Amino acid sequence: MSKLRSQKDYEKTSAFRFWQWLSGEKDPYIGNMEMKEQEVFQESPIVVKEREIDHIKLHNKIYDIDHNKELKLFRIFYRISAVLLCGVIMAALIICVSYLPETGNPNNPTVNEVAERYVEKGTAETGVINTVTGMILNYRGFDTFGETCVLFIASSCVMILLMVSEEKLKTLPKNLEPKDDKILQYVARIIVPVLMIFGFYVIVNGHLSPGGGFSGGAIIGSGLILYSSAFGGEKIRKFFNENVYKCIKITALIFYGCVMTYYFYTGANGLTNIFPLGTPGNIVSAGMIFYINLFVGLEVACTVYSFYALFKRGGL
Amino acid sequence: MAVWEWIRFIGGAALILLGLSIFFVEIAGVFRFKYVLNRMHAAAMGDTLGLSACIAGLMLMNGLNFTTVKLLCVIIFLWLASPVSSHLIAQLEVTTDPDANEYEKIQDIKTIEEEGKENKNE
């Protein structure tokens, strides 16, 4: 291929600069703006070695491995049994996979029967208009129960790691509490009630329109976050303290489990349950999905807010 | 009625085009300006005026029903939320940047008042 221009002429054109930027050779914005490149964190190898030796010394001092023979035996047993357990679980899973039907086969039951049933009989059986809600809260209710449990366990773990005592929480240093920002407070006063009502609307309409417990709960939780970041922890503790948090969280989870178990028990035994399906399209309809949406919403709202509060100041 | 439909369509299209052109200005500003606060000014302009022009165009095209009211709520929410968040980020930038004095001169209210008096005397 013949070149029309020499290399020097070509380097002056914008096409060359564009190609440089595209291939990552030169970023035109580094050094041009006021941002600086981050310094690479470096440690001398001597410090690293000293730290490793200290760690091993401390470990030996605590467990006293040289003299404690039971612990030594237990460690060997623990490692071997861990490897064995992993092997057994892997083998079981692989054997299970070999019994599954072939992927991509058009005659598989997951391709035909399940989806067909959801689309055709979903509204009649569960009383919802939004079929997705009917699927995740009714047909796969225990799966969603597991998800809600995951939220509960995650926030409990964060509480174990980051929670501080109540006396310490009341005398926090000033830089952990928000400044009295008049603009933010004024806007928060307008937005927070609207956000709460909108979140409740999304939860309650979960079986009629897109939305439901998870998204509505996230909206309510973000409203709580906005309130606490505008007015500080002391004001939000007047109506949302640790006791309220615990009550809401545990009751919501227990009621969810009870309702779900009752529903499946009656359904499996052919009994009629106490949750009427109602006419599809009404607010109070769809049997237990309405209540389960409420429980999931409360759980998610508490989790979202507790994550913010615990990471911010170590307490609700 | 056909004339009214055409007028609505043209008005909506013009508003959406206005919003899109404001977005282009915003993107140019975000990449051309060299200081954070200047860039934030450009971005905030797109967030308020550009988005609201686009949504107003959609409202015109949609006609009057429940969706229009929801879109109006979106505009009000954005106008409340976006300037406040920009204000907070700008405050953080000014208070934490060690070289802030190179880019902007923060004056006390007293010195500003004194300068105003001097100007009046002259």
Side-chain angles (χ1 to χ4, degrees):
Chain A
M1 218 173 91
S2 63
K3 275 188 177 174
L4 289 178
R5 291 179 184 174
S6 64
Q7 185 69 22
K8 271 188 180 177
D9 280 345
Y10 173 63
E11 278 176 10
K12 283 175 192 168
T13 58
S14 54
F16 173 72
R17 265 176 276 141
F18 179 71
W19 179 250
Q20 254 190 338
W21 173 73
L22 194 67
S23 54
E25 284 168 16
K26 195 188 166 195
D27 191 346
Y29 293 107
I30 282 181
N32 227 345
M33 292 185 182
E34 80 286 9
M35 55 187 170
K36 293 165 195 158
E37 286 185 58
Q38 269 191 333
E39 286 176 22
V40 185
F41 180 72
Q42 276 180 333
E43 261 184 328
S44 65
I46 304 165
V47 177
V48 177
K49 243 179 199 173
E50 273 180 7
R51 206 173 53 218
E52 279 173 3
I53 291 168
D54 280 355
H55 183 77
I56 291 169
K57 270 184 187 170
L58 195 71
H59 202 255
N60 286 344
K61 204 178 174 186
I62 290 172
Y63 293 112
D64 200 13
I65 289 174
D66 296 329
H67 303 289
N68 198 341
K69 279 195 174 175
E70 280 180 26
L71 194 72
K72 213 175 178 181
L73 276 175
F74 175 73
R75 293 187 131 215
I76 295 168
F77 171 73
Y78 182 81
R79 282 177 191 170
I80 292 172
S81 62
V83 171
L84 277 179
L85 191 68
C86 279
V88 168
I89 291 174
M90 272 160 63
L93 287 176
I94 288 170
I95 290 168
C96 281
V97 165
S98 71
Y99 280 105
L100 283 179
E102 199 182 338
T103 10
N105 189 357
N107 294 322
N108 281 349
T110 47
V111 180
N112 300 321
E113 294 167 18
V114 179
E116 236 175 59
R117 191 174 178 99
Y118 286 161
V119 172
E120 284 175 357
K121 293 190 177 173
T123 311
E125 281 179 349
T126 60
V128 294
I129 292 194
N130 179 12
T131 321
V132 177
T133 310
M135 245 158 70
I136 62 168
L137 290 183
N138 199 323
Y139 293 113
R140 302 179 180 179
F142 269 121
D143 180 65
T144 315
F145 182 59
E147 278 164 29
T148 321
C149 282
V150 165
L151 286 178
F152 180 78
I153 293 166
S155 64
S156 305
C157 292
V158 174
M159 271 180 131
I160 289 168
L161 288 174
L162 298 179
M163 198 86 169
V164 296
S165 62
E166 271 186 42
E167 295 93 52
K168 210 177 172 186
L169 199 64
K170 274 170 191 166
T171 56
L172 272 183
K174 271 193 175 178
N175 56 356
L176 286 178
E177 287 288 338
K179 279 190 279 183
D180 278 343
D181 198 309
K182 286 282 179 289
I183 299 172
L184 181 62
Q185 285 181 355
Y186 191 81
V187 171
R189 230 171 259 149
I190 299 170
I191 284 185
V192 169
V194 181
L195 261 183
M196 297 284 176
I197 293 170
F198 179 62
F200 193 69
Y201 162 83
V202 170
I203 290 176
V204 167
N205 274 281
H207 53 291
L208 305 176
S209 60
F214 285 100
S215 31
I219 293 168
I220 292 183
S222 59
L224 287 172
I225 290 174
L226 178 60
Y227 190 87
S228 85
S229 67
F231 296 101
E234 222 159 85
K235 282 209 166 178
I236 201 167
R237 243 171 272 142
K238 280 177 186 164
F239 66 92
F240 193 89
N241 51 22
E242 211 185 311
N243 289 332
V244 178
Y245 167 80
K246 278 178 191 164
C247 280
I248 290 177
K249 226 162 175 187
I250 292 167
T251 25
L253 203 63
I254 287 174
F255 269 90
Y256 188 168
C258 291
V259 168
M260 209 68 228
T261 321
Y262 171 76
Y263 187 79
F264 276 130
Y265 180 74
T266 52
N269 290 316
L271 306 169
T272 49
N273 54 18
I274 53 165
F275 301 111
L277 283 187
T279 45
N282 283 3
I283 285 285
V284 185
S285 67
M288 51 116 198
I289 288 180
F290 180 75
Y291 308 102
I292 281 187
N293 252 334
L294 267 178
F295 298 143
V296 174
L298 290 174
E299 185 83 28
V300 173
C302 285
T303 309
V304 168
Y305 173 66
S306 77
F307 277 168
Y308 168 78
L310 286 169
F311 279 102
K312 169 100 180 167
R313 51 177 177 259
L316 290 161
Chain B
M1 285 308 278
V3 180
W4 172 236
E5 291 273 306
W6 271 104
I7 290 172
R8 229 171 60 185
F9 174 74
I10 292 171
L15 273 173
I16 290 176
L17 283 178
L18 176 74
L20 285 180
S21 60
I22 290 170
F23 273 124
F24 276 113
V25 172
E26 176 205 344
I27 290 167
V30 166
F31 282 98
R32 289 303 281 254
F33 282 134
K34 299 202 171 149
Y35 182 51
V36 179
L37 295 182
N38 295 345
R39 265 182 277 135
M40 197 184 290
H41 168 70
M45 187 185 68
D47 271 357
T48 50
L49 189 59
L51 260 175
S52 63
C54 280
I55 294 175
L58 288 177
M59 278 163 66
L60 254 186
M61 282 184 165
N62 189 44
L64 196 68
N65 50 25
F66 190 50
T67 316
T68 323
V69 183
K70 281 185 189 171
L71 288 174
L72 191 71
C73 289
V74 171
I75 291 184
I76 293 170
F77 181 79
L78 282 172
W79 277 5
L80 283 174
S82 163
V84 175
S85 54
S86 318
H87 156 75
L88 290 174
I89 298 171
Q91 212 180 31
L92 192 72
E93 162 70 23
V94 169
T95 46
T96 55
D97 190 5
D99 329 320
N101 287 326
E102 288 179 22
Y103 299 100
E104 75 234 20
K105 284 181 182 171
I106 305 171
Q107 289 175 319
D108 295 332
I109 297 173
K110 279 183 183 175
T111 56
I112 294 174
E113 282 174 353
E114 281 169 10
E115 280 178 9
K117 278 175 190 172
E118 282 171 11
N119 288 338
K120 270 182 192 175
N121 291 336
E122 284 167 2

